[in-house]
């Protein structure tokens, strides 16, 4: 276990990219290691971590234990603009490596590859109108239950407030019960379920 006092929350640096990829994969299955469940698990950070570090690096922060990053939070100040940039600037860089499924996505890897090619489907315009920013946060097991998640979230929220962003949201799988408890514990608001309810949304006014 990592001592909380020895962990620094700091801005993301380009040399953190490999750590972001590793953390994303090792927490990519409802908080557990996704590696055994994907032929190429790097599709996960290609959707949920790398584009944020590339497109909005100033809203990326890591928990650094003195040797490496053991957690991160990444965000987008304007979700609508972010997903437009995702399609125009990010997708062309990775589309060939992770081709879109030919038919209906089957299994977790095809679902994520579909999301890569249709990332805008993760945008709920009504939620984004009230809470325009969104985020992703991941911590390795050694960094969990020590207050680091709250520190990362607080750092991102402060950065968003400094930009005048009025609210932030996130989406998560209902199967990730640990994440849900964390978001409830730090005071985020669970929004009413939308559509088929396969995604839970939490939000916070800033």
């Amino acid at each position: 276990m990592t001592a909380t006092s020895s962990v620094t929350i700091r801005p993301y640096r380009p040399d953190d990219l490999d750590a972001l990829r590793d953390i994303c994969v090792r927490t990519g299955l409802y908080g557990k290691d996704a590696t055994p469940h994907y032929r190429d698990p790097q599709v996960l950070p290609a959707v949920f971590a790398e584009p944020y570090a590339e497109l909005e690096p100033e809203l990326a922060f890591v928990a650094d234990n003195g040797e490496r990053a053991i957690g991160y939070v990444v965000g987008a100040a304007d979700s609508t603009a972010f997903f437009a940039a995702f399609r125009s600037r990010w997708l062309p860089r990775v589309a060939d490596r992770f081709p879109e499924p030919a038919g209906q996505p089957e299994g977790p890897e095809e679902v994520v590859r579909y999301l890569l090619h249709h990332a805008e489907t993760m945008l709920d315009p009504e939620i984004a109108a009230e809470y325009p920013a969104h985020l992703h946060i991941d911590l390795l097991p050694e960094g969990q239950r020590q207050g680091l998640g709250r520190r990362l979230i607080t750092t991102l929220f402060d950065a968003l407030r400094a930009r005048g962003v009025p609210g932030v949201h996130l989406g998560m799988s209902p199967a990730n019960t640990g994440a849900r408890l964390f978001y409830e514990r730090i005071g985020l608001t669970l929004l009413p379920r939308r559509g088929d309810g396969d995604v839970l949304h939490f939000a916070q006014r800033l």
Side-chain angles (χ1 to χ4, degrees):
M1 180 174 290
T2 301
T4 303
S5 60
S6 68
V7 178
T8 301
I9 307 300
R10 61 165 175 80
Y12 166 83
R13 300 189 301 246
D15 61 1
D16 294 317
L17 184 56
D18 285 344
L20 257 64
R21 291 172 176 145
D22 179 61
I23 295 163
C24 187
V25 171
R26 290 171 60 193
T27 59
L29 188 70
Y30 312 131
K32 297 181 173 61
D33 191 352
T35 303
H37 303 273
Y38 288 74
R39 289 173 297 174
D40 188 349
Q42 292 302 313
V43 68
L44 286 163
V47 177
F48 300 114
E50 291 182 74
Y52 296 86
E54 172 68 22
L55 300 173
E56 298 206 44
E58 65 279 6
L59 292 177
F61 302 92
V62 303
D64 185 336
N65 70 356
E67 298 179 356
R68 60 188 170 87
I70 60 171
Y72 66 81
V73 64
V74 293
D78 181 332
S79 297
T80 302
F82 173 82
F83 285 114
F86 189 112
R87 172 162 291 280
S88 64
R89 295 168 51 196
W90 176 251
L91 181 59
R93 296 174 53 174
V94 294
D96 289 344
R97 179 177 175 183
F98 306 108
E100 182 177 359
Q104 185 72 18
E106 296 183 2
E109 182 162 351
E110 287 200 352
V111 168
V112 178
R113 282 200 281 124
Y114 177 85
L115 287 176
L116 175 67
H117 289 265
H118 301 277
E120 66 278 358
T121 62
M122 293 185 280
L123 175 69
D124 186 311
E126 291 187 20
I127 293 176
E130 189 168 358
Y131 308 96
H134 75 274
L135 67 89
H136 296 286
I137 181 171
D138 287 303
L139 273 166
L140 293 177
E142 66 192 83
Q144 295 174 9
R145 297 180 174 84
Q146 300 177 61
L148 296 177
R150 184 186 293 271
R151 288 170 62 190
L152 284 165
I153 291 279
T154 298
T155 301
L156 176 63
F157 284 7
D158 287 346
L160 290 170
R161 288 191 191 97
R163 291 181 170 210
V165 177
V168 58
H169 71 278
L170 62 91
M172 57 158 288
S173 167
N176 195 344
T177 55
R180 176 172 179 170
L181 289 172
F182 166 69
Y183 297 133
E184 291 174 341
R185 188 166 61 247
I186 66 173
L188 300 188
T189 299
L190 178 63
L191 300 179
R193 290 206 181 196
R194 302 172 61 81
D196 56 14
D198 61 341
V199 176
L200 296 181
H201 289 96
F202 282 84
Q204 175 73 50
R205 297 187 190 281
L206 299 173

Short mmCIF file of all heavy atoms in Angstrom, two decimals, residues 156-165:
data_model
loop_
_atom_site.label_atom_id
_atom_site.label_comp_id
_atom_site.label_asym_id
_atom_site.label_seq_id
_atom_site.Cartn_x
_atom_site.Cartn_y
_atom_site.Cartn_z
N LEU A 156 -9.16 18.49 -10.41
CA LEU A 156 -9.81 18.74 -11.70
C LEU A 156 -10.93 19.76 -11.56
O LEU A 156 -11.05 20.68 -12.39
CB LEU A 156 -10.36 17.43 -12.27
CG LEU A 156 -11.16 17.58 -13.57
CD1 LEU A 156 -10.28 18.12 -14.69
CD2 LEU A 156 -11.81 16.27 -13.97
N PHE A 157 -11.75 19.63 -10.52
CA PHE A 157 -12.85 20.58 -10.34
C PHE A 157 -12.33 22.00 -10.19
O PHE A 157 -12.91 22.95 -10.73
CB PHE A 157 -13.68 20.19 -9.12
CG PHE A 157 -14.61 19.02 -9.34
CD1 PHE A 157 -14.57 18.28 -10.51
CD2 PHE A 157 -15.51 18.65 -8.36
CE1 PHE A 157 -15.43 17.21 -10.71
CE2 PHE A 157 -16.37 17.58 -8.55
CZ PHE A 157 -16.33 16.85 -9.72
N ASP A 158 -11.23 22.17 -9.46
CA ASP A 158 -10.65 23.50 -9.31
C ASP A 158 -10.22 24.06 -10.67
O ASP A 158 -10.41 25.25 -10.96
CB ASP A 158 -9.46 23.45 -8.36
CG ASP A 158 -9.87 23.26 -6.90
OD1 ASP A 158 -11.05 23.44 -6.59
OD2 ASP A 158 -8.98 22.94 -6.08
N ALA A 159 -9.62 23.19 -11.50
CA ALA A 159 -9.18 23.64 -12.83
C ALA A 159 -10.38 24.02 -13.70
O ALA A 159 -10.31 24.99 -14.46
CB ALA A 159 -8.36 22.55 -13.50
N LEU A 160 -11.47 23.27 -13.58
CA LEU A 160 -12.66 23.59 -14.37
C LEU A 160 -13.31 24.89 -13.88
O LEU A 160 -13.74 25.72 -14.69
CB LEU A 160 -13.66 22.43 -14.28
CG LEU A 160 -13.25 21.14 -14.99
CD1 LEU A 160 -14.20 20.00 -14.63
CD2 LEU A 160 -13.21 21.33 -16.51
N ARG A 161 -13.36 25.08 -12.56
CA ARG A 161 -13.91 26.33 -12.03
C ARG A 161 -13.10 27.52 -12.52
O ARG A 161 -13.66 28.58 -12.82
CB ARG A 161 -13.92 26.29 -10.50
CG ARG A 161 -14.95 25.37 -9.89
CD ARG A 161 -15.05 25.60 -8.38
NE ARG A 161 -15.85 24.55 -7.77
CZ ARG A 161 -15.36 23.46 -7.19
NH1 ARG A 161 -14.03 23.28 -7.14
NH2 ARG A 161 -16.15 22.56 -6.67
N ALA A 162 -11.79 27.37 -12.56
CA ALA A 162 -10.94 28.47 -13.01
C ALA A 162 -11.25 28.88 -14.44
O ALA A 162 -11.00 30.02 -14.84
CB ALA A 162 -9.46 28.08 -12.88
N ARG A 163 -11.81 27.94 -15.21
CA ARG A 163 -12.21 28.24 -16.59
C ARG A 163 -13.64 28.74 -16.69
O ARG A 163 -14.12 29.05 -17.78
CB ARG A 163 -12.10 26.98 -17.44
CG ARG A 163 -10.68 26.49 -17.69
CD ARG A 163 -10.75 25.27 -18.57
NE ARG A 163 -9.44 24.88 -19.05
CZ ARG A 163 -9.23 24.27 -20.21
NH1 ARG A 163 -10.26 23.99 -21.00
NH2 ARG A 163 -8.02 23.92 -20.58
N GLY A 164 -14.35 28.78 -15.57
CA GLY A 164 -15.74 29.22 -15.59
C GLY A 164 -16.71 28.15 -16.04
O GLY A 164 -17.85 28.47 -16.43
N VAL A 165 -16.32 26.88 -15.97
CA VAL A 165 -17.22 25.79 -16.36
C VAL A 165 -18.28 25.60 -15.28
O VAL A 165 -17.94 25.47 -14.10
CB VAL A 165 -16.42 24.48 -16.57
CG1 VAL A 165 -17.36 23.33 -16.91
CG2 VAL A 165 -15.37 24.66 -17.66
#
